[in-house]
Amino acid sequence: MSALRDRVDALDHEMLSLLERRMRLVSEIAAWKRAHGLRIRDSVREQQVLDDRAAVAEALSLPRDAVESLFRVLMRASRDRQAALGAELPQDLPRYRVAVIGAAGGMGRLLVRLFAEWGQTVLEVDRDTGLRAEDAAAGADVTVVSVPIGDTEAVIRAVGPHVPDSGLLMDVTSLKEAPVAAMLASTRASVVGTHPMFGPDVHSLQGQRVVLCRARGEAWAEWIARLFAARGMTVIESTPDDHDRAMAVVQVLTHYQTQVLGLTLARAGTPVEETRRFSSPAYLLELVVTARHFAQSAELYGPIEMRNRRTAEITSAFREAAADVAGILERGDQEAFGALFDEVRRYFHGFTEEALEQSTHLIDRLVERA
């Protein structure tokens, strides 16, 4: 067995050497794309690669699905590499001084790294830095506010008057109505509200969504939108009102139901370890999402839910729905239970089939690591 494992290790090392050679080729492709103004992602080419590798896998009696998953990961890594090398950045991209207020936070650190990758000069400001936020804003072309939600408007009011009229003031807050209004009121500079729909620790920025609210100054809005897109992110244009209405569902409702589930589990008294012995794939997925939520900061989630002016509306709707389902279960009313399924299926339309496929993939990956 030891000799066989040694041979497996040797083959794995050869595969890693081949991957390193592949990434060197990807770097050359990135340079060529930048020189010729091509996009990083080529969906036609990606599908050709997947079809070809799957066909070769089948000819070699290898599992088609596993090989396809492997090459999807490789292509994502390739896109990340090209984006990090600036494959989509314009050759004549203007260089500015960018002040990141809250540079020591998770999202602040990510922004510092990204703006540096984009060739900008970055001024890092936080509580323990010698550089004051007001001085940084006065000396920068772009000021980015990346602080906790509860501090955002106060920081905006403090730095806004110092931003040059020709510059840009932007934020990355999870709510948009109040911060954008505060920026417009505190400065005569251009104003853009943004909301990265992901945490700072994601493994890849490819396909991650970032919401962009144009408030004042089209040129600056185009500049930041191009930078996000060049890094592989999907830019979603919205108004602050539409954004916050959507966040009542995307964030408030999602976090609320997760918190209710977590609190129910904690109070039910059955140890997590015992439930995990009997985990179905769906329960494991729910459990992981819930535990991940509570591994993070209450100071992060509280303001997201408490400051959205539609929170009472959406939590009331949740309680009403929960009461309806509980009543059906308590009565043992199968007919009403079927009607419930029909009502929700009509809402989701054809997304149910896509959801089955995607959730199966997620569950397969999750069970592998459990």
Side-chain angles (χ1 to χ4, degrees):
M1 178 60 74
S2 177
L4 290 172
R5 285 174 174 169
D6 288 344
R7 290 169 63 186
V8 168
D9 290 343
L11 283 172
D12 286 348
H13 294 164
E14 286 183 35
M15 289 169 60
L16 290 172
S17 295
L18 289 171
L19 286 176
E20 189 274 335
R21 287 172 56 189
R22 190 182 198 278
M23 293 306 288
R24 276 192 276 126
L25 283 172
V26 166
S27 298
E28 293 182 31
I29 290 171
W32 199 94
K33 286 182 176 178
R34 187 173 189 190
H36 293 81
L38 297 180
R39 302 295 303 273
I40 290 174
R41 187 154 201 179
D42 184 339
S43 298
V44 173
R45 166 61 179 166
E46 288 187 4
Q47 192 58 54
Q48 290 172 345
V49 170
L50 291 174
D51 291 343
D52 174 78
R53 295 345 176 233
V56 173
E58 288 185 338
L60 295 173
S61 299
L62 295 172
R64 181 187 182 102
D65 289 347
V67 170
E68 180 176 330
S69 294
L70 172 63
F71 276 91
R72 285 189 183 278
V73 171
L74 285 176
M75 288 190 293
R76 187 189 70 185
S78 297
R79 293 195 299 271
D80 268 341
R81 178 62 176 161
Q82 293 178 60
L85 293 171
E88 283 194 31
L89 289 177
Q91 299 280 12
D92 58 347
L93 181 71
R95 302 297 196 262
Y96 297 111
R97 288 167 63 86
V98 179
V100 177
I101 314 298
M107 187 57 68
R109 292 194 301 272
L110 176 60
L111 290 168
V112 167
R113 177 169 65 83
L114 288 177
F115 280 111
E117 285 182 4
W118 292 327
Q120 312 302 309
T121 300
V122 183
L123 306 177
E124 300 183 40
V125 183
D126 215 292
R127 297 181 188 277
D128 58 352
T129 58
L131 183 61
R132 295 174 61 247
E134 293 84 351
D135 295 335
D141 303 293
V142 178
T143 298
V144 185
V145 177
S146 178
V147 299
I149 294 176
D151 300 328
T152 296
E153 291 174 55
V155 171
I156 286 171
R157 286 192 291 270
V159 303
H162 301 276
V163 177
D165 292 356
S166 60
L168 168 66
L169 178 60
M170 61 177 281
D171 79 313
V172 292
T173 318
S174 298
L175 294 170
K176 291 273 67 78
E177 289 177 291
V180 168
M183 288 190 288
L184 288 171
S186 66
T187 185
R188 291 185 295 182
S190 294
V191 169
V192 176
T194 73
H195 177 196
M197 298 298 300
F198 53 90
D201 299 323
V202 293
H203 291 155
S204 172
L205 292 172
Q206 297 301 304
Q208 298 287 357
R209 287 172 167 78
V210 57
V211 179
L212 187 145
C213 300
R214 300 169 185 259
R216 181 194 296 146
E218 283 300 307
W220 278 114
E222 284 298 317
W223 178 78
I224 192 64
R226 289 175 71 190
L227 291 181
F228 285 143
R231 197 57 179 79
M233 289 175 260
T234 300
V235 178
I236 307 298
E237 301 267 358
S238 178
T239 65
D241 179 72
D242 287 346
H243 169 275
D244 285 6
R245 184 182 298 109
M247 289 308 106
V249 175
V250 173
Q251 290 189 317
V252 176
L253 176 59
T254 301
H255 300 334
Y256 179 66
Q257 70 171 3
T258 300
Q259 288 149 10
V260 170
L261 175 58
L263 191 59
T264 303
L265 288 169
R267 291 178 175 177
T270 305
V272 171
E273 294 76 13
E274 184 175 341
T275 67
R276 289 187 65 186
R277 290 178 58 220
F278 301 94
S279 284
S280 67
Y283 174 72
L284 181 59
L285 185 59
E286 292 281 1
L287 192 66
V288 167
V289 169
T290 304
R292 172 186 170 86
H293 181 91
F294 286 97
Q296 299 175 79
S297 169
E299 285 71 29
L300 168 66
Y301 288 108
I304 290 174
E305 296 170 75
M306 296 175 191
R307 289 173 177 263
N308 191 310
R309 60 188 177 90
R310 300 171 182 84
T311 291
E313 174 186 343
I314 202 71
T315 55
S316 176
F318 182 95
R319 289 194 298 273
E320 290 177 11
D324 287 346
V325 175
I328 291 171
L329 298 179
E330 290 164 6
R331 296 192 306 271
D333 190 340
Q334 184 62 44
E335 182 178 351
F337 193 74
L340 179 157
F341 264 61
D342 290 339
E343 179 181 349
V344 178
R345 280 199 193 100
R346 286 194 298 272
Y347 168 77
F348 280 115
H349 300 296
F351 181 63
T352 52
E353 294 303 316
E354 180 183 344
L356 281 172
E357 180 182 351
Q358 292 190 7
S359 60
T360 298
H361 175 78
L362 290 173
I363 287 170
D364 286 346
R365 303 290 82 75
L366 187 60
V367 170
E368 287 171 8
R369 299 172 65 94

